[in-house]
Amino acid sequence: SEQLRQKVKGALTYPVVVMTIAFAVVVFLVTFVLPSFKNIFEGQGELPLPTRVLLASSEFMQSYFPMILIGMVIVCFIIKRFLATKQGIRFRDSNALRVPKLGSMLRKVAVAKFTRTLGTLIASGVPILQALEVTAATAGNVVVADAVHKTRISIREGESIAEPLRSSRVFPPMVVQMIAVGEETGELDTMLTKIADFYDSEVDTAIKALTSIIEPVVIVIMGIIIGGIVMAIFLPMLSLVNQTG
């Protein structure tokens, strides 16, 4: 579980750090650097639209920077408190699985964690109902935990493991089919371990794919933002040079 957690954190650390630095640089440019160009642009008549928007943003940031900073802190605090509640945790976990690419990776992490934990407990002789209870408590995702709880209730009523997992639509069809085969052959713990090994490698592949996608996207976004600021600054200067010529 710790290895999987570190892998996911490692994949998300780079884009988060880069976007944070880019945001700080943009705020610094708009708040403290752009005002020095305002005197240069005065008296040039009608400025280009990007320049007017940038100067208006700069004036707004200068006038309300402390309030904006306080507002951001308050919003972050509210979001953090909300995500600490049961409703917030359910909102976070259910929507995280729907995010393109990231949701697929988190689903694979959840499957690997579920199968590894359950397979280890069953192989150690823990009764299936108790093993499912422990697995649900350590799932790390409310949606997955709900599916495991439903599976536990179904088994207590005499049903199989595979059917409630299939109806939950949280686990991939291949996983459900392999669990069903493990139940029928009496080799459930072995099958769960094989699934966990497979999805561990799938998580590695998904993390590499996600990283390879995120890096160019972050670079493009940064280029567009910084390029837009530079263009808004130099358009009036080019106009002034043309007029002088």
Side-chain angles (χ1 to χ4, degrees), residues 11 19 30 41-42 44 46 83 91 97 143 151 157 172 211 234 240 244:
M19 292 300 292
V30 173
F41 296 151
E42 287 179 352
Q44 291 193 33
E46 185 72 15
L83 293 179
F91 175 84
L97 296 177
V143 178
T151 302
E157 294 175 353
T211 305
F234 278 96
L240 181 62
T244 304

Side-chain angles (χ1 to χ4, degrees), residues 197-210:
D197 291 338
F198 173 77
Y199 272 91
D200 280 341
S201 63
E202 284 287 294
V203 169
D204 290 334
T205 304
I207 288 174
K208 292 177 182 178
L210 183 65

Side-chain angles (χ1 to χ4, degrees), residues 147 150-151 154-155 158-171 175-177 179-180 183:
K150 291 179 181 177
T151 302
S154 298
I155 292 175
E159 298 183 11
S160 65
I161 299 176
E163 191 55 39
L165 291 179
R166 182 183 291 108
S167 62
S168 69
R169 298 184 179 180
V170 175
F171 298 90
V175 174
V176 177
Q177 186 61 34
I179 290 175
E183 278 189 288

Side-chain angles (χ1 to χ4, degrees), residues 25-26 28-42 44 47-58 224-241:
V25 169
V26 170
F28 177 78
L29 289 174
V30 173
T31 307
F32 302 104
V33 177
L34 279 178
S36 61
F37 288 89
K38 187 175 180 181
N39 295 331
I40 300 175
F41 296 151
E42 287 179 352
Q44 291 193 33
L47 294 173
L49 179 61
T51 307
R52 297 201 306 270
V53 172
L54 200 59
L55 289 176
S57 302
S58 177
I224 292 173
I225 294 173
I226 303 299
I229 293 175
V230 173
M231 182 186 69
I233 292 175
F234 278 96
L235 278 177
M237 294 184 178
L238 292 175
S239 176
L240 181 62
V241 170

Side-chain angles (χ1 to χ4, degrees), residues 36-213:
S36 61
F37 288 89
K38 187 175 180 181
N39 295 331
I40 300 175
F41 296 151
E42 287 179 352
Q44 291 193 33
E46 185 72 15
L47 294 173
L49 179 61
T51 307
R52 297 201 306 270
V53 172
L54 200 59
L55 289 176
S57 302
S58 177
E59 293 177 0
F60 179 80
M61 289 292 293
Q62 278 189 305
S63 302
Y64 300 101
F65 183 75
M67 296 179 62
I68 294 173
L69 190 60
I70 294 173
M72 291 176 62
V73 172
I74 292 174
V75 169
C76 291
F77 176 77
I78 292 173
I79 292 174
K80 185 177 180 180
R81 290 295 300 270
F82 172 70
L83 293 179
T85 63
K86 291 184 178 180
Q87 296 83 358
I89 293 173
R90 183 170 296 278
F91 175 84
R92 179 197 63 194
D93 291 349
S94 59
N95 286 280
L97 296 177
R98 299 190 182 103
V99 178
K101 296 296 182 179
L102 178 62
S104 175
M105 184 187 70
L106 294 177
R107 190 180 299 273
K108 291 176 181 178
V109 170
V111 170
K113 190 174 183 180
F114 164 78
T115 52
R116 178 76 65 191
T117 306
L118 185 60
T120 302
L121 291 172
I122 293 176
S124 301
V126 179
I128 184 65
L129 291 178
Q130 185 179 351
L132 286 171
E133 183 179 0
V134 174
T135 304
T138 59
N141 186 291
V142 173
V143 178
V144 176
D146 288 345
V148 177
H149 279 305
K150 291 179 181 177
T151 302
R152 186 171 180 271
I153 294 173
S154 298
I155 292 175
R156 194 165 54 192
E157 294 175 353
E159 298 183 11
S160 65
I161 299 176
E163 191 55 39
L165 291 179
R166 182 183 291 108
S167 62
S168 69
R169 298 184 179 180
V170 175
F171 298 90
M174 184 195 74
V175 174
V176 177
Q177 186 61 34
M178 291 181 70
I179 290 175
V181 172
E183 278 189 288
E184 294 174 0
T185 58
E187 298 289 336
L188 181 58
D189 56 337
T190 303
M191 195 64 72
L192 288 169
T193 302
K194 290 182 178 180
I195 297 172
D197 291 338
F198 173 77
Y199 272 91
D200 280 341
S201 63
E202 284 287 294
V203 169
D204 290 334
T205 304
I207 288 174
K208 292 177 182 178
L210 183 65
T211 305
S212 64
I213 292 172

